[in-house]
C-alpha cells in the first residue's frame, strides 16, 4: 500500500469533490506553503504540551472537589488545628500543606518546608475568590469558594518566599500574603518537632 | 451611498466609543501613577480599584461595542449598497446601549461596583452595574439582528452572487457576538441579577466563572474582527495595491468564528472547578485559533509586499521602505502587525496548558492583552476613524502629520508600558494590586520597572488626547470636502457557497459548543456544590 501525503494536487482534488464551483478556486503556491508552515508550528506547540502532559503528568491544578466554604472551621480537614504542614507525609513521601485563604491572609501565616521535596498544597477559601502564587515558581492556583484547590510543587532552592494572593479579593487585597520559608532538607525543624511549625 | 441616516448612526456610535476611549486613558494614567508608588498622596486602594473597574469597562465594553456597531452600519450600507434596514430599530438599540452605559457608570464612579470588568462573584456590586452591563449587551443584539437581516435580504435579491468581503466579515462578527454573549447573558440573568436584587442569597461561583469564560475569550475576536476588516479591506488599497487573496481572507474569518468560540477554558487553567481533560481540550482549540491569525499576518503582509514592489521597492526588504508610511492606514497596519507579533508570543505562553502557571494573574497578562487589544485592535480603530471621519463630516482631516505623530506615539507608549509588565510578570508581580505591600527581598527587584511604565502611560495619554483633538478639529474646523471619495473597487470573484454564508458554520459551532461546554456546565447541577453568600469589598 502506498501512503500518499497531502500535497497541492491532493488538496485540489479534495476541494473539487466539494462542489462544482470549487474548480474555480485557485490556491496560490505561497498560500499553500504558508498554511503548511502554520499547521506545522501549531502542531509542534500542541505536540510539546501533549508529551509533557502525558509522559511527565504535568497538568494545571484541577481538582474538582467541593467543600462548604461557610463552615470550613467545622470541617474534618480545614479545622483550625489541622492547618499548616502536616506531620505525617503522604504514602508517596510527599508533604502535605493545608491552608485556608480568607480576607486578607493565608492561614497559617507562616510555614516552613524542606527544599527538594514534593509538596502537595490543599487550600480552600472561607469567603471570596483568592489566588495563591509563589513568585518565580509554578506554585499557583485559584482558590474558588466552594472548592478545594490542590496544587503540587517542589522548591529547589532554600530561601524566604512570599505567597501572594494574585486574585482581586477586596480592598485589602494588596496586603494579602504569607511567608513560606524553604530550608535545606537537613535543617528542616519539623523533623524534631513532629510537624509543629514556628 | 452616504445617506444621512447611516452617517448619523455611525457618528453617534463613534462619539460614544471615542469619548469613552479618551476618558479611559485618564483612568489608565492615574493607575500607573498610583501603582508606581512614587506619589504617596495618590495611594488609595478604593480609588484604584474603582478606577481599574471603570477603565476596563470603558475600554473593553463601551469603546468596542459602540465602535463595532458604528463601523458595522457603515460597512453594511457601503458594501451592500443598501440603506440601513429599519433605522428605528437601530436607534432603539443605540438608546438601550447608552442607557446601559449610564446605569453602569454611576455605581462605577461612586466606587459601588469595584468588581473589575470581569465581575468576580461572590463580591457583589450595586445592582445597577449588572443591569447596565446587561442592557449594553441587549442593545448590541439589535445591531446583530440588523446586520444579519441586511445580509439575508441582500442574498435574496442577489442570488448566486458573492457577498462582498467587508459584509461577510461583519456578519461573521454579528453571529460571533450572538454566540459569545450567551454565556455572560446567562450569568447575568440567572445568577447576578437575582442575587444582586436579593431574590437569591447565594451564588454558584464555579458556574458563574464557567459562563463568563464562555464569553471571555471569543469576546476578544468580536473586538478583533473590525480591525481585521480594516487590514483586509482598507490597507491593501491604501498601500497602493490590492488584497493578496480574498479566499484566504474569507477562510480566516470563518476559522475565527468557528474556532474562536469553544476555547474559553484557558482562562480557567488555574481554577479548581473544572477537570484537566476539559482544560486540555480547550487548549488544543486555543492553539488552533492561532491559524487564522497566522493566515491574516501572511495575507496582509503579502498584500503590503505587492504594493511596495509595485511602487518600485526591490530586493528582499526594499519593498518595506517603498510603502507609503505617511498614509495613516498603512502606518497603523505596520505598527499593528508588529504589536500582534509581540503580543502573540506572550499569548502562546498564556495558552500553554502548564506554562501558564508561571504567569497566571501576573503583570505579564495585562502586558500581553494591552499589546493585542490596545495595540493591534485599538490602533486599527484609530486608523479607521481617520479614514471615515472626513467622509462622515464632509471635511478634510485636520492634520495628517499630527495623525502620524499620534499613531507613532501610541505605538511607542504601548511598547514602553508593556515591556516592564512582561518583566514584572516573570518576576511574579500580581496584576491586580494597587501597591506593593510585601515585605520581602524577592519583591524588591520589582521597583526599577515601575517608573518605566509611568513614562509609557504618559506617552499614551498624550497620544490619546491628540487623537480626540484631531477628530474634534476635523469635525468643527476642517476644510469642506468637495467631492465624495470614489468608492473602492470591490469586484468580487465567485466564491463557494460555504464561504459565502453561515448556515453550515452555525451547525458546526453548535456541535463544538455542546462538546466543549455541555458537561462542564451540566456538572454544577450534578455535583453537590456549596454556594457562598455575597460579600462587599
Ligand atoms: Cu486574596
Amino acid at each position: 500500500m502506498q501512503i500518499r501525503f497531502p500535497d497541492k494536487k491532493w488538496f485540489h482534488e479534495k476541494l473539487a469533490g466539494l462542489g462544482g464551483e470549487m474548480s474555480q478556486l485557485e490556491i496560490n503556491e505561497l498560500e499553500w506553503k504558508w498554511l503548511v508552515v502554520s499547521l506545522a508550528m501549531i502542531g509542534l506547540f500542541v505536540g510539546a504540551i501533549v508529551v509533557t502532559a502525558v509522559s511527565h503528568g504535568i497538568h494545571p491544578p484541577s481538582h474538582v472537589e467541593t467543600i462548604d466554604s461557610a463552615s470550613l472551621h467545622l470541617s474534618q480537614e480545614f479545622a483550625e488545628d489541622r492547618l499548616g504542614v502536616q506531620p505525617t507525609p503522604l504514602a508517596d513521601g510527599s508533604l502535605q500543606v493545608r491552608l485556608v485563604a480568607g480576607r486578607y491572609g493565608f492561614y497559617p501565616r507562616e510555614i516552613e518546608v524542606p527544599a527538594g521535596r514534593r509538596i502537595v498544597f490543599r487550600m480552600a477559601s472561607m469567603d471570596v475568590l483568592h489566588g495563591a502564587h509563589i513568585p518565580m515558581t509554578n506554585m499557583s492556583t485559584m482558590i474558588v469558594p466552594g472548592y478545594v484547590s490542590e496544587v503540587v510543587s517542589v522548591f529547589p532552592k532554600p530561601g524566604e518566599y512570599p505567597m501572594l494572593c494574585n486574585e482581586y479579593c477586596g480592598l485589602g487585597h494588596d496586603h494579602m500574603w504569607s511567608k513560606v520559608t524553604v530550608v535545606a532538607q537537613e535543617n528542616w525543624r519539623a523533623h524534631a518537632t513532629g510537624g509543629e511549625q514556628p | 451611498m452616504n445617506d444621512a441616516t447611516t452617517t448619523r448612526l455611525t457618528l453617534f456610535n463613534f462619539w460614544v466609543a471615542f469619548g469613552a476611549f479618551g476618558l479611559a486613558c485618564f483612568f489608565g494614567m492615574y493607575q500607573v501613577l498610583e501603582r508606581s508608588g512614587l506619589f504617596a498622596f495618590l495611594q488609595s486602594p478604593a480609588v484604584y480599584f474603582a478606577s481599574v473597574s471603570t477603565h476596563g469597562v470603558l475600554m473593553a465594553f463601551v469603546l468596542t461595542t459602540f465602535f463595532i456597531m458604528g463601523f458595522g452600519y457603515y460597512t453594511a450600507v457601503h458594501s451592500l449598497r443598501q440603506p440601513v434596514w429599519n433605522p428605528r430599530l437601530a436607534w432603539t438599540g443605540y438608546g438601550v446601549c447608552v442607557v446601559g452605559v449610564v446605569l453602569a457608570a454611576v455605581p462605577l464612579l461612586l466606587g459601588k461596583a469595584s468588581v473589575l470588568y470581569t465581575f468576580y462573584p461572590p463580591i457583589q456590586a450595586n445592582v445597577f452595574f449588572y443591569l447596565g452591563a446587561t442592557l449594553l449587551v441587549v442593545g448590541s443584539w439589535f445591531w446583530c439582528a440588523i446586520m444579519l437581516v441586511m445580509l439575508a435580504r441582500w442574498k435574496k435579491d442577489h442570488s448566486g452572487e458573492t457577498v462582498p468581503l467587508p459584509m461577510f466579515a461583519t456578519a461573521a462578527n454579528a453571529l460571533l457576538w450572538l454566540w459569545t454573549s450567551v454565556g455572560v447573558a446567562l450569568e447575568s440573568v440567572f445568577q447576578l441579577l437575582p442575587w444582586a436584587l436579593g431574590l437569591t442569597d447565594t451564588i454558584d461561583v464555579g458556574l458563574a466563572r464557567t459562563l463568563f469564560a464562555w464569553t471571555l475569550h471569543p469576546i476578544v475576536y468580536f473586538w478583533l474582527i473590525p480591525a481585521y476588516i480594516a487590514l483586509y479591506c482598507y490597507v491593501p488599497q491604501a498601500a497602493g495595491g490590492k488584497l493578496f487573496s480574498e479566499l484566504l481572507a474569507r477562510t480566516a474569518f470563518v476559522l475565527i468564528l468557528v474556532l474562536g468560540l469553544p476555547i474559553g477554558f484557558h482562562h480557567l487553567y488555574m481554577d479548581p472547578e473544572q477537570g484537566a481533560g476539559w482544560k486540555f481540550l480547550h487548549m488544543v482549540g486555543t492553539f488552533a485559533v492561532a491559524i487564522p491569525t497566522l493566515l491574516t499576518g501572511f495575507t496582509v503582509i503579502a498584500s503590503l509586499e505587492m504594493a511596495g514592489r509595485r511602487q518600485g521597492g526591490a530586493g528582499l526588504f526594499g519593498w518595506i521602505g517603498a510603502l507609503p508610511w505617511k498614509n495613516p492606514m498603512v502606518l497603523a497596519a505596520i505598527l499593528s502587525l508588529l504589536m500582534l507579533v509581540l503580543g502573540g508570543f506572550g499569548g502562546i505562553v498564556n495558552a500553554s496548558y502548564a506554562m501558564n502557571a508561571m504567569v497566571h494573574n501576573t503583570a505579564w497578562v495585562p502586558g500581553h492583552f494591552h499589546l493585542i487589544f490596545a495595540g493591534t485592535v485599538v490602533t486599527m480603530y484609530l486608523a479607521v476613524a481617520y479614514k471615515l471621519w472626513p467622509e462622515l463630516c464632509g471635511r478634510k482631516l485636520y492634520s495628517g502629520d499630527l495623525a502620524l505623530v499620534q499613531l507613532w506615539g501610541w505605538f511607542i507608549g504601548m511598547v514602553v508600558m508593556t515591556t516592564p509588565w512582561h518583566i514584572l510578570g516573570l518576576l511574579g508581580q500580581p496584576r491586580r494590586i494597587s501597591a506593593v505591600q510585601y515585605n520581602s527581598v524577592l519583591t524588591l527587584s520589582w521597583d526599577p520597572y515601575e517608573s518605566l511604565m509611568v513614562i509609557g502611560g504618559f506617552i499614551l495619554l498624550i497620544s490619546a488626547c491628540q487623537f480626540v483633538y484631531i477628530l474634534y478639529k476635523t469635525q468643527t474646523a476642517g476644510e469642506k470636502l468637495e467631492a465624495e471619495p470614489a468608492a473602492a473597487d470591490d469586484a468580487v470573484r465567485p466564491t463557494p457557497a460555504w464561504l459565502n454564508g453561515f448556515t453550515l458554520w452555525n451547525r458546526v459551532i453548535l456541535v463544538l459548543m455542546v462538546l466543549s461546554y455541555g458537561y462542564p456546565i451540566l456538572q454544577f447541577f450534578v455535583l453537590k456544590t456549596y454556594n457562598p453568600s455575597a460579600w462587599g469589598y
Side-chain angles (χ1 to χ4, degrees), chain B residues 57-73:
Chain B
V57 169
L58 285 177
M59 287 294 198
F61 297 146
V62 183
L63 162 64
T64 51
T65 309
F66 282 90
F67 176 84
I68 291 164
M69 293 193 297
F71 189 40
Y73 289 126

Side-chain angles (χ1 to χ4, degrees), chain B residues 11-27 58-59 62-63 66-67 101 389 464 467-468 471:
Chain B
L11 270 178
F12 271 71
N13 275 289
F14 279 8
W15 284 333
V16 179
F18 294 124
F21 166 74
L23 190 61
C25 287
F26 281 91
F27 286 105
L58 285 177
M59 287 294 198
V62 183
L63 162 64
F66 282 90
F67 176 84
V101 169
W389 223 255
F467 171 75
V468 174
L471 294 193

Side-chain angles (χ1 to χ4, degrees), chain A residues 104 129-131 165 167-169 173 176:
Chain A
Y104 293 103
L129 277 175
H130 299 280
C165 175
E167 186 54 280
Y168 171 70
C169 57
H173 168 57
M176 181 160 169

Side-chain angles (χ1 to χ4, degrees), chain A residues 68-82:
Chain A
D68 187 1
S69 288
S71 59
L72 280 184
H73 55 292
L74 303 174
S75 73
Q76 289 291 320
E77 186 177 358
F78 291 96
E80 209 176 334
D81 57 345
R82 292 169 190 241

